[in-house]
């Protein structure tokens, strides 16, 4: 390149030393003889070369006047500091170099043959805009912040990329407008600032080559490789897209090589599973692990020696190995050093990634050379570990979100007590998916668990619902009849009389009883026959329009029919369900702390719940039947509390609905399987299905030899089949009676045989309701355990 190429820049550059020489001319009159003599020598040296003062763009003149230019810049590039300072005389925002220090020349030489430094991110668009900002500040007098760092990226003799920040000194440059320069107003500047990336707009306001620059700048450079590496590590770890990109691992290793200034290091990562005390492969992110050595999982106790286990797992501090060979011999062939030797690792740093005192993963930095990684340069990790920890925490959260998404998609919501099992399966599912397989979510089964079932059901709910529907339909039909009567009186058309006849027939049909098909038949009649007539009548007569609009205002948009009594019923059911669900959901939180168990709750016409407890449901805790006994007592207590909540709520309900309570006791363990088709747990196996049959039918059962239903308001019914269950629950009732939950009215009854089920009995205990809210209390775990001992 012989001449400067401006690339459609707003400034045309000329190399010029006039502004510097004028400073020396002022020094000629200085009282400092040494300063004056130096100035005279420099001014005399350039006196025969007018191009140096007028400015030139022919870069060949730099070589032609090399000796003179060196003399002019001798003070700027002091010989004493030339081997230390990284300094360049150049043109702003270009790669044109006028003179350099010895240190800079050495850096370029070590970078390799024919290496030419280029400014990082020197895209045409942004360079044009940055030059325009300089013009707006220097020439037009606006005060805009255009501070932007510039860098050179230059490899060292080992091939490790080094980064140098450039600070410009612009004391020796002038910016001069040409005839192409335009007048710039405050409105123009505001428009430019609103469009900071619109290069076309900036070129319109400040056209190419509308200014010239005469002079040069001094670029002082500073090695910021460590800071840049930290910044790069931070930026790479911040972006979740980076973490999953194919190049992420390669780019991160290059950054760590720059950070440690070592060309031959590698970086690995192993996830830590706290529950299983093992290291695990991080799937789908390109990370290899030198601790795992190609395996998916390894127990910490087998991977780590005693010293490394203590430092990493217990103390959460760095563990460094300066000489793998020597450590291998000293340890007598430990698996850790054996595995590293197999991978040709000679020195290593293992850094724990911990958050809130919990180990999440291990960062592994290894080298094929001994001694290059050690306890001294391990301290450099202190500057980047917070960013790595943050990225791993975020990655763990994202992994948990992906696991939740898989579980949600495959299984819908999952109770916290069994979430660990689904999480294991979801992790396997995601791993297979990331490796390009076609994963399927395997069945989840919990064996040998004991079931508990309870429900609070709205008494005669079908009868109450039908009564509400009946009343709404009768009111709606009566109001339709009123409108048709007015219409018939006005026009005396037989069609109106016929419609009135049919309306009255529907009224008569539901007056005594609402039949199964009555609601749909009336709904179809109103939509197909009445609505079109009313639409016509609204247009035909203003007085009728008022009556029809009054009728239509009472029609519910959601149901497209009258919804008054039904609304009261639905709101009552909703309030009961809401209140009762809130009670058992809240009590579940403390019950889970006693011993983890599966819990699910359904809202129907009332609230029912299933509980399953057993060793297979708990991930780590040891199981004892004491916990089953405790859960049974807890269930009994909570059912009493729910009954009291309903009793207190009843007077506030739009429809004062009664409720009945029931508990099923089942003494045999069974298995539950998560059914993928229905997204819920169900009992597993033909024999265990008997439990589900009993659950579905007992609330409709009768006392043997009578026509009396088992469930009655004010009574808690406990259904069982074994004598020992009877004794157990009588003991619990006695305990809770002392706490004011039951009266003395307790009876034992036999039930009529259900289809496929016989031999069931029930305890019916009358509930003692609390009218004084201040007297309401609950019982602690210690209370319950103490009762179990009796």
């Amino acid at each position: 390149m012989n001449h400067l190429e401006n690339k459609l820049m707003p400034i045309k550059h000329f190399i010029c030393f006039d502004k510097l020489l004028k400073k020396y001319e002022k020094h000629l009159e200085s009282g400092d003889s040494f300063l004056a003599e130096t100035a005279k020598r420099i001014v005399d040296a350039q006196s025969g070369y007018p191009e140096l003062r007028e400015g030139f763009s022919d870069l060949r003149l730099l070589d032609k006047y090399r000796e003179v230019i060196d003399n002019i810049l001798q003070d700027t590039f002091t010989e004493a500091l030339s081997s230390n300072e990284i300094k360049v005389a150049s043109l702003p925002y270009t790669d044109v170099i006028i003179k350099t220090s010895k240190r800079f020349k050495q850096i370029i030489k070590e970078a390799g043959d024919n290496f030419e430094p280029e400014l990082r991110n020197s895209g045409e668009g942004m360079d044009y805009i940055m030059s325009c900002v300089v013009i707006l500040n220097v020439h037009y007098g606006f005060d805009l912040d255009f501070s932007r760092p510039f860098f050179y990226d230059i490899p060292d003799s080992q091939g490790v990329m080094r980064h140098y920040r450039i600070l410009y000194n612009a004391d020796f440059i002038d910016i001069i407008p040409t005839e192409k320069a335009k007048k710039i107003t405050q409105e123009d500047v505001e428009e430019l600032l609103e469009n900071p990336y619109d290069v076309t707009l900036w070129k319109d306001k400040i056209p190419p080559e509308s200014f010239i620059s005469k002079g040069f700048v001094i670029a002082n450079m500073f090695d910021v490789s460590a800071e840049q590496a930290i910044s790069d590590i931070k930026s790479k770890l911040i972006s979740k897209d980076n973490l999953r990109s194919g190049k992420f691992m390669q780019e991160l290793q290059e950054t760590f090589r720059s950070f440690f200034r070592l060309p031959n290091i590698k970086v690995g990562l192993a996830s830590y599973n706290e529950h299983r005390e093992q290291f695990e492969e991080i799937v789908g992110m390109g990370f290899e692990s030198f601790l795992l050595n190609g395996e998916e999982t390894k127990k910490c106790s087998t991977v780590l020696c005693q010293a490394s286990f203590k430092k990493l797992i217990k103390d959460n501090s760095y563990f460094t190995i300066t000489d793998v060979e020597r450590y291998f011999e000293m340890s007598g062939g430990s698996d850790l050093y054996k595995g590293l030797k197999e991978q040709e690792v000679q020195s290593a740093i293992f850094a724990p990634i911990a958050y809130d005192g919990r180990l999440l993963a291990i960062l592994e930095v290894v080298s094929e050379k001994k001694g290059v990684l050690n306890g001294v340069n391990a301290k450099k990790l202190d500057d980047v570990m917070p960013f790595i920890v943050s990225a791993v925490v975020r990655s763990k959260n994202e992994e948990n979100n992906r696991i939740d998404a898989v579980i949600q998609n495959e299984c819908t919501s999952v109770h916290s007590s069994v979430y660990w099992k689904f999480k294991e399966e979801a992790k396997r599912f995601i791993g297979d998916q990331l490796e390009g397989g076609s994963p399927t979510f395997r069945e989840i089964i919990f064996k040998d668990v004991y079931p508990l079932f309870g429900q609070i059901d709205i008494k005669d709910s079908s009868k109450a619902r039908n009564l509400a529907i009946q009343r709404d339909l009768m009111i709606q039909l009566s109001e339709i009849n009123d409108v048709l009567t007015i219409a018939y009186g006005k026009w005396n058309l037989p069609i109106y009389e016929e419609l009135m006849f049919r309306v009255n027939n529907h009224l008569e049909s539901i007056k005594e009883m609402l039949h199964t098909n009555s609601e749909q038949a009336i709904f179809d009649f109103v939509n197909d026959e009445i609505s079109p007539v009313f639409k016509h009548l609204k247009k035909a007569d203003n007085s009728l329009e008022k009556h029809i609009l009054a009728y239509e205002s009472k029609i519910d948009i959601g149901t497209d029919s009258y919804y008054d009594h039904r609304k009261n019923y639905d709101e009552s059911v909703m309030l009961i369900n809401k209140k009762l669900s809130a009670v058992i959901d809240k009590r579940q939180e403390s019950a889970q702390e006693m011993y983890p168990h599966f819990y699910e709750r359904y809202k129907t016409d009332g609230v029912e719940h299933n509980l399953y407890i057993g060793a297979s449901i708990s991930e780590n805790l040891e199981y004892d039947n004491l916990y089953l006994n405790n859960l049974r007592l807890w269930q009994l207590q909570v059912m009493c509390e729910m009954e009291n909540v309903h009793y207190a709520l009843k007077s506030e309900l739009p429809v004062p609905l009664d409720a009945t309570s029931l508990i099923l006791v089942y003494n045999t363990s069974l298995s539950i399987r998560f059914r993928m088709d229905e997204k819920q747990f169900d009992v597993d196996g033909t024999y265990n299905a008997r439990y589900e049959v009993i659950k579905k039918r007992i609330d409709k059962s009768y006392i043997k030899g009578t026509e009396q239903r088992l469930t009655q308001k004010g009574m808690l019914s406990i259904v069982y089949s074994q004598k020992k269950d009877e004794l157990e629950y009588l003991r619990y009732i006695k305990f809770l009676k002392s706490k004011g939950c039951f009266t003395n009215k307790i009876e034992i009854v036999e039930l009529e045989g259900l289809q496929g089920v016989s031999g069931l009995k029930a305890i019916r205990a009358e509930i003692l309701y609390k009218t004084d809210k201040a007297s309401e209390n609950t019982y602690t775990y210690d209370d319950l355990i103490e009762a179990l001992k009796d």
Side-chain angles (χ1 to χ4, degrees):
M1 183 176 72
N2 296 326
H3 288 79
L4 286 167
E5 295 179 5
N6 285 290
K7 302 178 184 178
L8 290 177
M9 296 294 283
I11 301 174
K12 184 174 182 179
H13 294 290
F14 290 89
I15 300 171
C16 176
F17 301 95
D18 184 58
K19 200 166 184 180
L20 176 61
L21 291 169
K22 284 180 178 177
K23 283 186 175 288
Y24 280 116
E25 287 173 345
K26 288 183 180 179
H27 293 165
L28 292 174
E29 308 299 327
S30 172
D32 186 330
S33 59
F34 179 80
L35 187 60
E37 287 175 10
T38 300
K40 184 177 186 307
R41 186 172 63 254
I42 290 172
V43 170
D44 289 345
Q46 59 78 44
S47 61
Y49 310 100
E51 297 99 323
L52 298 179
R53 303 199 73 143
E54 293 168 3
F56 60 89
S57 60
D58 185 350
L59 298 182
R60 290 173 297 187
L61 296 180
L62 287 174
D63 290 329
K64 182 179 178 180
Y65 300 134
R66 171 58 53 205
E67 186 177 346
V68 179
I69 292 172
D70 285 348
N71 286 330
I72 293 172
L73 296 176
Q74 68 175 5
D75 284 350
T76 308
F77 289 81
T78 307
E79 181 65 25
L81 300 176
S82 187
S83 296
N84 183 45
E85 289 185 332
I86 310 172
K87 184 183 289 189
V88 176
S90 67
L91 294 179
Y93 312 128
T94 74
D95 298 323
V96 175
I97 294 176
I98 300 169
K99 182 177 174 59
T100 71
S101 66
K102 290 180 180 179
R103 172 82 183 279
F104 184 81
K105 285 179 181 177
Q106 183 65 27
I107 289 171
I108 298 300
K109 180 181 178 183
E110 290 179 355
D113 296 339
N114 302 318
F115 180 84
E116 293 186 7
E118 292 184 2
L119 286 172
R120 186 197 302 173
N121 300 326
S122 57
E124 179 184 337
M126 283 309 297
D127 276 0
Y128 194 100
I129 291 170
M130 292 300 293
S131 296
C132 288
V133 173
V134 173
I135 292 169
L136 289 172
N137 282 352
V138 175
H139 177 72
Y140 291 104
F142 293 100
D143 185 16
L144 306 180
D145 182 4
F146 67 102
S147 55
R148 180 192 179 201
F150 290 90
F151 297 90
Y152 279 140
D153 301 317
I154 306 171
D156 65 13
S157 58
Q158 294 182 303
V160 176
M161 188 62 69
R162 307 292 285 274
H163 308 281
Y164 301 90
R165 181 169 181 175
I166 305 167
L167 295 179
Y168 284 114
N169 181 335
D171 289 347
F172 308 114
I173 195 167
D174 284 317
I175 295 176
I176 306 163
T178 69
E179 67 278 0
K180 295 180 183 179
K182 295 183 177 181
K183 182 180 179 182
I184 299 292
T185 65
Q186 181 64 40
E187 289 75 17
D188 291 328
V189 173
E190 289 172 0
E191 185 181 359
L192 290 170
L193 294 178
E194 288 171 0
N195 300 275
Y197 304 109
D198 188 347
V199 181
T200 304
L201 176 65
W202 285 79
K203 286 181 178 180
D204 177 62
K205 301 293 184 184
I206 305 176
E209 299 189 354
S210 55
F211 288 81
I212 63 172
S213 74
K214 285 191 172 184
F216 65 95
V217 294
I218 301 296
N220 290 284
M221 284 170 280
F222 304 91
D223 189 340
V224 292
S225 298
E227 293 83 352
Q228 182 65 44
I230 293 171
S231 177
D232 287 347
I233 290 169
K234 182 179 179 182
S235 62
K236 283 179 173 61
L237 294 173
I238 283 174
S239 171
K240 65 178 181 181
D241 295 328
N242 276 347
L243 291 176
R244 295 269 162 201
S245 71
K247 295 181 179 179
F248 172 72
M249 200 52 221
Q250 179 184 346
E251 291 174 351
L252 189 65
Q253 288 200 146
E254 289 298 325
T255 305
F256 265 91
R257 286 167 183 168
S258 178
F259 180 62
F260 278 97
R261 301 184 183 181
L262 296 171
N264 59 351
I265 63 170
K266 295 180 181 179
V267 180
L269 196 69
S271 179
Y272 175 65
N273 187 322
E274 182 179 16
H275 294 296
R276 297 189 177 276
E277 292 189 345
Q278 66 184 21
F279 294 123
E280 298 176 350
E281 174 190 19
I282 297 177
V283 181
M285 292 176 64
F287 282 108
E288 61 178 319
S289 169
F290 301 94
L291 287 173
L292 292 174
N293 193 14
E295 296 187 28
E296 291 183 2
T297 64
K298 274 189 177 181
K299 283 287 185 183
C300 299
S301 56
T302 60
V303 177
L304 302 178
C305 62
Q306 188 174 359
S308 57
F309 185 90
K310 182 178 185 300
K311 282 215 167 192
L312 292 171
I313 309 296
K314 300 297 184 185
D315 301 340
N316 288 165
S317 60
Y318 301 151
F319 179 70
T320 59
I321 306 169
T322 55
D323 187 344
V324 169
E325 193 74 45
R326 183 167 62 88
Y327 276 61
F328 176 74
E329 293 173 1
M330 287 170 55
S331 67
S334 164
D335 286 347
L336 171 62
Y337 308 113
K338 180 182 177 183
L340 294 175
K341 270 171 59 68
E342 289 173 357
Q343 298 168 87
E344 298 182 349
V345 172
Q346 290 300 317
S347 60
I349 301 170
F350 296 105
I353 300 169
Y355 184 72
D356 281 346
R358 293 178 55 216
L359 183 66
L360 305 177
I362 300 290
L363 175 69
E364 310 162 350
V365 185
V366 303
S367 172
E368 61 190 24
K369 293 185 177 181
K370 68 178 181 181
V372 298
L373 293 171
N374 49 66
V376 175
N377 56 13
K379 294 297 291 180
K380 290 169 70 72
L381 287 173
D382 290 348
D383 296 326
V384 297
M385 287 307 291
F387 309 126
I388 295 172
V389 169
S390 177
V392 170
V393 168
R394 192 182 77 250
S395 181
K396 288 273 188 182
N397 290 337
E398 289 172 359
E399 180 187 37
N400 289 335
N401 291 339
R402 287 193 299 275
I403 288 169
D404 285 341
V406 168
I407 293 173
Q408 185 72 22
N409 182 59
E410 299 291 329
C411 319
T412 67
S413 59
V414 172
H415 189 251
S416 58
S417 61
V418 294
Y419 177 79
W420 65 272
K421 188 77 171 178
F422 285 83
K423 184 176 179 181
E424 282 187 351
E425 179 57 23
K427 286 178 74 173
R428 184 202 62 79
F429 181 98
I430 291 169
D432 288 352
Q433 196 174 54
L434 291 171
E435 290 172 2
S438 300
T440 56
F441 205 93
R442 295 184 300 208
E443 289 185 321
I444 303 292
I445 301 174
F446 293 98
K447 296 182 178 181
D448 295 324
V449 296
Y450 290 90
L452 295 88
F453 171 75
Q455 70 173 35
I456 294 186
D457 192 36
I458 293 172
K459 184 174 172 58
D460 298 327
S461 58
S462 297
K463 184 179 177 181
R465 185 187 295 106
N466 285 342
L467 181 61
I469 294 170
Q470 180 187 22
R471 288 174 176 172
D472 280 339
L473 289 176
M474 289 181 69
I475 294 170
Q476 183 176 6
L477 290 169
S478 296
E479 297 213 1
I480 290 172
N481 197 52
D482 290 343
V483 174
L484 291 173
T485 301
I486 296 171
Y488 181 66
K490 243 179 196 318
W491 290 287
N492 200 28
L493 294 179
I495 188 65
Y496 297 142
E497 186 178 16
E498 190 269 344
L499 285 173
M500 291 163 60
F501 173 75
R502 291 165 68 189
V503 168
N504 282 311
N505 278 346
H506 280 300
L507 270 169
E508 287 298 322
S509 72
I510 65 170
K511 190 172 290 184
E512 297 300 327
M513 181 184 297
L514 185 70
H515 300 286
T516 307
N517 64 338
S518 295
E519 183 180 7
Q520 188 60 48
I522 293 171
F523 181 82
D524 292 340
F525 168 66
V526 171
N527 276 355
D528 299 340
E529 307 278 351
I530 301 299
S531 294
V533 172
F534 277 16
K535 187 176 181 181
H536 163 73
L537 290 175
K538 279 198 291 186
K539 297 177 182 176
D541 187 272
N542 287 337
S543 62
L544 266 176
E545 183 183 19
K546 294 178 183 176
H547 287 287
I548 294 169
L549 289 173
Y551 158 78
E552 290 177 342
S553 68
K554 298 173 186 176
I555 298 295
D556 180 70
I557 296 174
T559 61
D560 206 19
S561 60
Y562 264 45
Y563 186 62
D564 184 18
H565 290 84
R566 271 177 291 181
K567 182 180 180 182
N568 288 338
Y569 172 81
D570 289 344
E571 285 184 355
S572 298
V573 172
M574 183 190 70
L575 282 169
I576 290 170
N577 287 349
K578 183 179 178 181
K579 287 282 189 178
L580 298 187
S581 297
V583 171
I584 192 166
D585 287 350
K586 182 66 177 176
R587 293 290 174 257
Q588 255 297 296
E589 295 174 10
S590 57
Q592 291 293 342
E593 293 176 6
M594 297 176 189
Y595 191 86
H597 56 277
F598 179 73
Y599 161 73
E600 60 183 356
R601 182 258 303 150
Y602 302 101
K603 293 179 183 177
T604 52
D605 282 348
V607 175
E608 64 181 56
H609 63 269
N610 291 311
L611 308 171
Y612 297 98
I613 188 169
S616 61
I617 286 179
S618 172
E619 186 178 9
N620 298 312
L621 297 177
E622 186 176 335
Y623 175 75
D624 188 280
N625 275 340
L626 174 72
Y627 297 114
L628 169 62
N629 302 140
N630 177 69
L631 194 60
R632 286 176 168 180
L633 180 53
W634 171 88
Q635 182 191 33
L636 200 59
Q637 176 199 350
V638 172
M639 291 290 285
C640 290
E641 185 179 351
M642 292 168 73
E643 274 276 4
N644 271 275
V645 168
H646 172 261
Y647 177 80
L649 179 66
K650 185 176 175 182
S651 61
E652 302 173 15
L653 298 173
V655 180
L657 299 169
D658 289 317
T660 60
S661 299
L662 173 73
I663 286 174
L664 172 61
V665 183
Y666 201 76
N667 214 330
T668 307
S669 66
L670 44 78
S671 296
I672 56 173
R673 177 193 302 266
F674 188 82
R675 293 181 56 179
M676 301 301 295
D677 53 348
E678 296 186 6
K679 311 293 188 187
Q680 67 180 36
F681 275 101
D682 204 349
V683 294
D684 185 37
T686 306
Y687 174 76
N688 292 331
R690 181 174 181 270
Y691 171 72
E692 288 293 332
V693 171
I694 298 173
K695 265 173 52 178
K696 288 180 172 65
R697 296 176 181 170
I698 52 171
D699 65 326
K700 302 293 191 294
S701 62
Y702 289 85
I703 295 176
K704 194 171 186 177
T706 74
E707 294 185 2
Q708 187 186 70
R709 287 272 289 268
L710 167 65
T711 53
Q712 298 291 323
K713 65 178 183 180
M715 306 286 287
L716 176 57
S717 301
I718 304 161
V719 179
Y720 60 94
S721 62
Q722 302 291 321
K723 183 66 177 178
K724 66 176 183 177
D725 295 331
E726 177 185 301
L727 296 174
E728 180 181 348
Y729 272 86
L730 287 174
R731 192 169 78 245
Y732 297 160
I733 290 168
K734 181 181 179 182
F735 165 66
L736 292 177
K737 189 170 68 173
S738 72
K739 300 290 185 179
C741 292
F742 296 106
T743 70
N744 290 322
K745 186 178 179 181
I746 298 165
E747 58 183 350
I748 297 173
V749 297
E750 287 188 55
L751 304 184
E752 288 284 1
L754 302 172
Q755 185 178 353
V757 180
S758 61
L760 294 179
K761 299 177 74 175
I763 300 170
R764 293 206 302 188
E766 186 178 49
I767 298 164
L768 180 62
Y769 295 100
K770 300 177 178 65
T771 55
D772 179 13
K773 290 187 178 181
S775 68
E776 293 183 10
N777 56 357
T778 57
Y779 315 116
T780 66
Y781 177 63
D782 291 337
D783 288 332
L784 302 179
I785 293 297
E786 195 62 37
L788 294 175
K789 294 177 181 177
D790 295 340

